[in-house]
Amino acid sequence: LKKVISMIDEEQWLIMDGDVKGAIYESILEKNGQDKKSGAGQYFTPRPLIKAMVDCIAPQMGETVCDPACGTAGFLTKVNDYADVKLFGFEVDERLAWVSTLNLYIHGANDFETCFMSNGGSLGSEADSYYESIDVILTNPPFGSDYTDRKILDKYVLGKDKNSRRRGILFIEQSWNLLKKDGILAIIIDQGVLNSKTNMDVREYIFSHFEIMGVIDLPESAFLPYANVSSSIMILQKKMGNVKQRQTFFAKSEKIGRKSNGDDDIIYYQNGDFKLDSDLDNILYAWEKFI
């Protein structure tokens, strides 16, 4: 222990690159925080998925980028590596809102807001002032639990006159509210939204409010060991009025560089090189050719 402390003490932390400090900080969060996200179907998004989604959207300088269920700001810190953008993070958990603020500081972000929204999180009224102000939303909302506040449910087309609704479903509608015209939403959703008969109204809402640009199915192991769930990435563009659907990009990922215990799944080569065992780069290449 004395030797470890001595090694840490020798580092010049004030001048250390932000990426290094950020990686250290995020690894501590990932190891210590997974067990503490309970109840609301919340899980940290694997880094390979974060990178793939940000690469797909490729945010541009001057844009506003938001994660309305930001957790520890994984999406926002990765966006910060891309361009000089304005970052917004909304979070219902006060502790995580504080953690995301620190994470963005450590990663060298300059222009950002992290907001703790106590009354329903970004699904409540505190997010109303941000409507139609966001260019890009990247998010993995807590889709595994029901929302039961009738007063807030009645705000939404997909929640009105219902006793409960899945949070992830409401986030789709709230993302449309937050986005500017032609803004882009990249969201991880439960495949039940795409396939279940009970969610037909959700699919109708998506078809009438967004142009569906892409759907990428994820392996069921993507969120193991914390959840075994079929999910997809949907890339949607907000539209007004009569929406005309065009050609849609479809892909299916079989592996994202993650083992079932949550560790990195790495391929090692005889020459000493190594890489994640993932097909996400191939999907990204096909996506870039498509758009």
Side-chain angles (χ1 to χ4, degrees):
L1 181 60
K2 182 178 179 181
K3 185 175 181 180
V4 170
I5 292 172
S6 177
M7 292 171 65
I8 292 172
D9 196 44
E10 290 174 2
E11 294 295 337
Q12 302 296 312
W13 293 93
L14 291 177
I15 62 172
M16 183 182 290
D17 187 274
D19 288 343
V20 176
K21 288 185 286 190
I24 294 170
Y25 184 67
E26 286 189 354
S27 67
I28 294 171
L29 289 176
E30 189 169 355
K31 296 299 182 186
N32 291 283
Q34 293 281 11
D35 296 337
K36 298 174 182 177
K37 298 197 82 179
S38 61
Q42 298 168 291
Y43 298 93
F44 288 96
T45 310
R47 292 183 191 178
L49 284 185
I50 291 175
K51 181 180 184 303
M53 290 174 67
V54 175
D55 284 346
C56 278
I57 303 306
Q60 302 297 310
M61 183 178 295
E63 289 185 331
T64 52
V65 180
C66 176
D67 183 349
C70 69
T72 60
F75 282 109
L76 300 180
T77 56
K78 180 55 66 176
V79 169
N80 188 60
D81 296 338
Y82 259 82
D84 184 12
V85 298
K86 171 72 175 181
L87 302 172
F88 293 94
F90 306 151
E91 179 55 50
V92 69
D93 185 318
E94 187 172 14
R95 181 185 68 90
L96 286 177
W98 179 84
V99 167
S100 64
T101 300
L102 185 55
N103 201 11
L104 285 162
Y105 273 125
I106 289 175
H107 278 83
N110 295 313
D111 190 4
F112 68 89
E113 281 184 37
T114 49
C115 306
F116 163 56
M117 296 181 173
S118 57
N119 183 26
S122 57
L123 295 176
S125 59
E126 292 174 79
D128 292 1
S129 61
Y130 296 90
Y131 279 8
E132 299 183 357
S133 67
I134 305 298
D135 293 299
V136 174
I137 291 177
L138 290 140
T139 192
N140 178 19
F143 49 73
S145 65
D146 289 339
Y147 199 79
T148 57
D149 186 323
R150 286 294 303 274
K151 184 176 180 181
I152 293 179
L153 281 171
D154 284 343
K155 286 180 53 178
Y156 296 97
V157 173
L158 297 174
K160 193 169 183 60
D161 298 326
K162 295 184 180 296
N163 292 320
S164 66
R165 197 87 214 226
R166 291 278 170 167
R167 293 171 188 265
I169 289 172
L170 298 178
F171 269 100
I172 294 171
E173 183 174 342
Q174 185 69 324
S175 294
W176 189 90
N177 294 330
L178 291 167
L179 286 169
K180 298 176 183 177
K181 181 183 176 183
D182 296 326
I184 301 294
L185 168 63
I187 185 172
I188 298 176
I189 62 169
D190 182 345
Q191 283 189 5
V193 173
L194 301 178
N195 304 320
S196 171
K197 290 182 179 179
T198 59
N199 290 323
M200 187 176 295
D201 63 326
V202 184
R203 295 191 291 276
E204 289 174 352
Y205 181 91
I206 292 172
F207 270 98
S208 63
H209 289 75
F210 294 96
E211 180 185 334
I212 303 172
M213 300 176 68
V215 179
I216 302 171
D217 287 349
L218 299 174
E220 290 188 9
S221 60
F223 294 97
L224 287 175
Y226 309 102
N228 186 12
V229 61
S230 296
S231 57
S232 299
I233 300 169
M234 289 196 77
I235 304 173
L236 309 171
Q237 186 171 35
K238 176 177 177 176
K239 294 297 181 181
M240 310 292 289
N242 187 22
V243 179
K244 294 182 179 179
Q245 298 295 333
R246 295 179 175 83
Q247 213 171 17
T248 300
F249 175 86
F250 287 98
K252 183 174 179 60
S253 172
E254 302 289 349
K255 47 194 176 180
I256 65 164
R258 182 182 175 89
K259 296 180 181 177
S260 59
N261 64 358
D263 291 342
D264 289 342
D265 189 6
I266 299 175
I267 300 173
Y268 294 95
Y269 299 100
Q270 290 184 345
N271 63 0
D273 291 341
F274 61 90
K275 70 169 188 175
L276 288 179
D277 188 12
S278 169
D279 55 19
L280 292 175
D281 283 345
N282 293 334
I283 291 173
L284 176 62
Y285 177 77
W287 165 257
E288 291 174 344
K289 298 281 283 185
F290 172 80
I291 59 174

